[in-house]
Amino acid sequence: MNAAHLAAAIGAVKAMDVGQKEKVCDRIHAEQPSLLASVLALPRLGVSMQTVDVLLDILIVLTLAVDNSGKSLATVTEADQERELQRLVARVRFSKGLDASSMVQSIQQTTAYRRESLLLAYVFDAIKRAGLTDIKDEAAKYPILSALNLVNCIATAKRSRSRV
């Protein structure tokens, strides 16, 4: 995926109304139900609906960026998500106590982030602009983990040419 694919997806989502976003979410539900469910389940963990809306926009952008790349992803399962989340948590635990340069190097060596560094940069920017990086309580960690895990799952999912 390149910057043009991501930029086109960001522009498309900014121009969408609620009904158009719902249609994309319906398609995500049909093609990647576990990814959508991982976002929609967040209110059960104390995450606000406003935050869920931010994460849905992120998921829509990621989906459209993949579409723009001309590829399609294998269906990401709950097991895939759990595996990637375990890897993410392990990386976070490993990086505790590392100096900034070592932490950056550790992140850069991660396969998912090397493969989809533009998606990762977009997600970091989106959650920062939404104020989600200000961690006030335990529930504030879940949206960040969810957003990063979306990138991990997309980056590690098998790809094939779209069936256009």
Side-chain angles (χ1 to χ4, degrees), residues 6-18:
L6 180 57
I10 293 168
V13 172
K14 283 183 181 179
M16 286 181 178
D17 62 26
V18 172

Side-chain angles (χ1 to χ4, degrees), residues 88-101:
L88 175 60
V89 170
R91 281 190 297 276
V92 169
R93 286 188 179 137
F94 173 78
S95 67
K96 279 187 178 180
L98 291 178
D99 60 61
S101 137

